[in-house]
Amino acid sequence: MATAAVSVSSCLRAVVASSSSSSTSSCSYSYCYFYSRRHLPTTSRTPKFAKPHFVSLPSFVASRPLVVAAAAMSYDKEFAAAKKAASLAARLCQKVQKELLQSDVQSKSDRSPVTVADYGSQAIVSFVLERELSTEPLSLVAEEDSGDLRKDSGKDTLQRITKHVNETIATDGSYSASPLSPEDVLRAIDTGKSEGGSFGRHWVLDPIDGTKGFLRGDQYAVALALLDDGKVVLGVLACPNLPLASIAGNVTSENAVGCLFYAKVGSGTFMQSLDGSSPVKVHVSDIGNSEDASFFESYEKAHSMQDLTSSIARKLGVKAPPVRIDSQAKYGALSRGDGAIYMRFPHKGYREKIWDHAAGCIVVTEAGGVATDAAGQPLDFSKGRYLDLDTGIIVTNQKLMPSLLKAVRESLEEKSSSL
Ligand SMILES: Nc1ncnc2c1ncn2[C@@H]1O[C@H](COP(=O)(O)O)[C@@H](O)[C@H]1OP(=O)(O)O
Ligand SMILES: [Mg+2]
Ligand SMILES: [Mg+2]
Ligand SMILES: [Mg+2]
């Protein structure tokens, strides 16, 4: 552990992110630095060192009397809070999915569906993070907002969300405060309005990723990640309907479902049952011959250009049919080697959001995989609520990435020359 005695402001911290298991991982990183989030000038904020250093601080900081033993940050507290938050949110989603009423589903302004479970899940995650990490102001970049629930037409829905949230929190037993009011729930949902960015810590949440899968009774995920200075440092994916056994080839020998995947920078990826079995370390497939690979893609045709993914698969000689499932459950399944490739090529004009990939990205990269855009560039989560990327997202192991990139490039060239 790195320690240093320095006179600093109360928010000066030493952060050590241990070395990643995968040098080419697009989410992982390795460095050690000292900084003050608010009080240092921009140029001094993230000096990077190979090893822990005593740093010379600007006099306006050094003059503060507080002496801090700056300890290595391991994100342990945040990791535990994230697992608890995603697991509780998944419990709410499972309950709602069982008793789904038509009236629990609304259409948003982009005509995508949103349910009481999306809102409830977001409120629970926000509540749990606030409670567990009360020492830090919470910055949360999340998909939903309370706009429609604040209208007269949203009153009944808000009552149902509040009931689900309070019932779910009560099942945990560790929060003894009085039940949340509808206004508390609205406030918790709206905590998710942060814009994120390249500086400081931001939680990133998709309260239900794959709402269409959720409504069909298929796959969906609660996806929660933490960014630190624009990098994903931890991620949790709760996949309540994903079989615990492999889904390779779309078949599974076991009925038990409900997986929790989690990964922290430099520590690998683990999976356990949502009911709390002991965790197992998972690893991506080590297939090196693309003919033996199988690939995942969206269930929804509207979410990815399936003619393009078929062309890429043909070039790679992939024999197995695509495995089409909803949500970031694909990243979870990939992280344990159920398939070898995930391809996602949204139709023109669609902008990817960071909450649709942040948790999945670290889950798969810490399991030894690589996630890039269609040009092979790492995914950049530091640009705000959207991912700014070239054409699509591809994920695979390190052996297959070069041939996948080549097939992607050729297929994209053919597609553009045929237009
Ligand atoms: N037109 C679209 N193109 C691509 N992705 C979309 C589109 N509409 C919604 N999504 C998002 O795609 C993800 C589902 O991915 P998949 O297709 O892999 O199952 C979800 O994050 C979903 O949002 P949401 O979180 O609202 O469900
Ligand atoms: Mg949505
Ligand atoms: Mg989503
Ligand atoms: Mg969503």
Side-chain angles (χ1 to χ4, degrees), residues 4-230:
V6 285
S7 292
V8 290
S9 71
S10 60
C11 67
L12 183 69
R13 293 188 289 169
V15 175
V16 176
S18 55
S19 180
S20 157
S21 53
S22 149
S23 58
T24 51
S25 142
S26 53
C27 295
S28 308
Y29 67 117
S30 165
Y31 58 79
C32 168
Y33 57 83
F34 293 89
Y35 63 96
S36 162
R37 288 186 188 288
R38 288 188 208 89
H39 300 105
L40 294 181
T42 315
T43 48
S44 324
R45 274 175 184 159
T46 56
K48 292 181 184 174
F49 306 113
K51 289 189 295 189
H53 273 60
F54 285 93
V55 290
S56 134
L57 296 163
S59 56
F60 71 93
V61 172
S63 64
R64 292 174 187 237
L66 197 65
V67 175
V68 174
M73 292 293 296
S74 60
Y75 305 108
D76 284 346
K77 202 170 162 215
E78 291 77 9
F79 204 25
K83 284 187 242 175
K84 184 169 183 178
S87 304
L88 260 189
R91 199 177 294 171
L92 180 147
C93 297
Q94 283 168 306
K95 183 160 171 283
V96 175
Q97 199 181 40
K98 275 196 195 124
E99 41 188 75
L100 200 66
L101 303 167
Q102 201 49 43
S103 55
D104 285 337
V105 185
Q106 263 88 45
S107 211
K108 294 200 282 189
S109 53
D110 62 0
R111 311 228 319 255
S112 65
V114 60
T115 73
V116 293
D118 297 65
Y119 290 123
S121 169
Q122 185 157 320
I124 295 241
V125 170
S126 162
F127 171 84
V128 173
L129 294 181
E130 289 266 12
R131 287 300 176 99
E132 299 290 327
L133 308 168
S134 50
T135 47
E136 284 198 24
L138 182 66
S139 168
L140 177 66
V141 184
E143 180 179 359
E144 310 302 344
D145 67 68
S146 74
D148 290 343
L149 301 174
R150 291 180 186 273
K151 297 175 185 159
D152 277 351
S153 56
K155 270 194 182 135
D156 289 351
T157 308
L158 178 58
Q159 290 298 341
R160 281 202 300 284
I161 297 165
T162 306
K163 181 172 159 288
H164 284 301
V165 168
N166 282 320
E167 285 174 1
T168 307
I169 289 171
T171 62
D172 181 67
S174 54
Y175 304 111
S176 55
S178 53
L180 300 189
S181 67
E183 191 52 42
D184 295 332
V185 169
L186 292 172
R187 259 199 308 272
I189 292 169
D190 280 341
T191 308
K193 280 187 171 164
S194 167
E195 290 294 319
S198 60
F199 174 61
R201 288 188 179 188
H202 305 282
W203 289 92
V204 180
L205 171 69
D206 194 334
I208 290 190
D209 182 47
T211 308
K212 288 187 174 163
F214 176 80
L215 291 170
R216 249 188 277 109
D218 286 341
Q219 295 305 324
Y220 65 98
V222 177
L224 178 62
L226 177 63
L227 302 183
D228 200 345
D229 287 351

